[in-house]
């Protein structure tokens, strides 16, 4: 089986004006000239895709979108299609992030349609799944994640067009992380339900201090990083932990 190259992806969320985004992307691209053992991706807000894409030109840092609509075009005010992301230089689209599932009410069915849209446009879909604190405490974490996978990942997924990000909702932006045993167990459960060779990222309060321990786990193929991706130094320290 081919080796699963690790991926460290930054989700900038709704942060950054053009000057900040350009400076951050330039800093990441400059650091990425150093040898590194993972793929790198940044997902800025849609308004920064062009600026960040220009700043990353010539580097091996890829560009991704944070979400996409399921339709290619039409009367969907405020939305962005997967084709638009591709046209702006993206190679990846995050879909089903917990902030969209929980604050925008997105269902597994919506996430599945967005995954198909990403593929239609030639993008790799990063499908996010993860349980809430209450679900974990009720002993339902694995059942919830399995059900999200079943509903969100189309049956014709391949290792080349699908990445799953396991992001426990209670770990996002809180400074809390699951135990390494819990991460391993959940990633193994996910792996049993996705195509062989597809990568599984861990996301939820990854930072320069905990990255080495998390990224050393065999089951972890990289990280989806929120807050710490907004500082090039921290993002790079996480990427550097892929050894
Ligand atoms: C995220 O939003 O995908 C995320 C993992 O955020 P943070 O790293 O800030 O917890």
């Amino acid at each position: 089986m081919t080796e699963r190259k690790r991926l460290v992806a930054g989700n900038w969320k709704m942060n950054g004006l053009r000057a900040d985004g350009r400076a951050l992307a330039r800093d990441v691209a400059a650091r990425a000239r150093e040898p590194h053992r993972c793929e790198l991706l940044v997902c800025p807000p849609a308004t920064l895709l062009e600026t960040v894409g220009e700043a990353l030109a010539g580097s091996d840092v890829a560009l991704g979108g944070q979400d996409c609509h399921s339709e290619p075009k039409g009367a969907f005010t405020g939305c962005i299609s997967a084709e638009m992301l591709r046209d702006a230089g993206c190679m990846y689209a995050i879909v089903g992030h917990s902030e969209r599932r929980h604050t925008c009410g997105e269902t597994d069915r919506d996430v599945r349609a967005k995954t198909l849209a990403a593929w239609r446009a030639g993008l790799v879909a990063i499908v996010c799944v993860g349980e809430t604190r209450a679900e974990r405490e009720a002993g339902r974490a694995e059942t919830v994640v399995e059900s999200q996978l079943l509903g969100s990942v189309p049956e014709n997924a391949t290792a080349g067009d699908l990445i799953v990000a396991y992001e426990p909702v209670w770990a996002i932006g809180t400074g809390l992380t699951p135990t390494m045993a819990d991460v391993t167990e959940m990633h193994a459960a996910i792996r049993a339900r996705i195509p062989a060779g597809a990568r599984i990222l861990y996301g939820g309060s990854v930072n320069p201090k905990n990255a080495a321990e998390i990224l050393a786990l065999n089951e972890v193929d990289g990280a989806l990083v929120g807050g710490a991706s907004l500082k090039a130094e921290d993002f790079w320290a996480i990427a550097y932990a892929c050894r």
Side-chain angles (χ1 to χ4, degrees):
M1 195 165 72
T2 52
E3 197 196 332
R4 300 185 307 267
K5 183 147 193 206
R6 279 171 293 176
L7 170 70
V8 173
N11 173 12
W12 292 4
K13 309 193 186 189
M14 196 174 74
N15 291 294
L17 303 179
R18 276 185 303 164
D20 318 317
R22 187 181 296 113
L24 177 55
R26 280 185 181 159
D27 199 344
V28 170
R31 288 169 197 267
R33 284 197 216 106
E34 299 289 320
H36 49 279
R37 302 185 63 178
C38 60
E39 289 173 7
L40 294 167
L41 165 68
V42 294
C43 301
T47 50
L48 298 186
L49 285 172
E50 189 174 357
T51 303
V52 170
E54 283 167 6
L56 296 177
S59 77
D60 69 355
V61 184
L63 188 66
Q66 298 177 10
D67 180 43
C68 66
H69 196 275
S70 57
E71 294 297 322
K73 63 179 179 178
F76 304 102
T77 303
C79 299
I80 293 171
S81 72
E83 283 75 4
M84 290 168 175
L85 293 179
R86 188 75 181 85
D87 187 47
C90 294
M91 298 305 290
Y92 297 81
I94 298 171
V95 293
H97 190 279
S98 76
E99 283 151 18
R100 298 207 58 89
R101 288 180 184 267
H102 294 277
T103 61
C104 307
E106 287 186 6
T107 63
D108 289 332
R109 195 187 159 98
D110 297 326
V111 178
R112 184 180 189 282
K114 290 175 179 220
T115 304
L116 289 168
W119 296 348
R120 183 186 66 221
L123 303 174
V124 175
I126 302 179
V127 178
C128 301
V129 293
E131 81 286 356
T132 62
R133 156 80 60 202
E135 288 162 345
R136 176 155 286 274
E137 284 173 357
R140 298 184 52 241
E142 231 173 273
T143 315
V144 166
V145 167
E146 281 168 11
S147 154
Q148 288 173 335
L149 287 173
L150 197 67
S152 311
V153 177
E155 33 309 306
N156 56 339
T158 68
D161 59 21
L162 173 75
I163 294 174
V164 172
Y166 168 53
E167 300 208 301
V169 179
W170 52 272
I172 296 179
T174 58
L176 302 172
T177 49
T179 65
M180 295 305 103
D182 285 344
V183 173
T184 299
E185 196 177 326
M186 185 63 87
H187 279 225
I190 294 170
R191 197 167 300 290
R193 282 164 184 79
I194 61 174
R199 291 180 285 183
I200 308 171
L201 312 183
Y202 168 77
S205 296
V206 178
N207 61 46
K209 288 201 178 114
N210 61 22
E213 189 183 19
I214 294 169
L215 290 164
L217 298 173
N218 274 338
E219 282 296 340
V220 172
D221 303 318
L224 182 52
V225 185
S229 70
L230 295 173
K231 276 176 76 182
E233 190 184 353
D234 289 355
F235 187 61
W236 180 248
I238 294 167
Y240 193 73
C242 287
R243 272 174 287 164

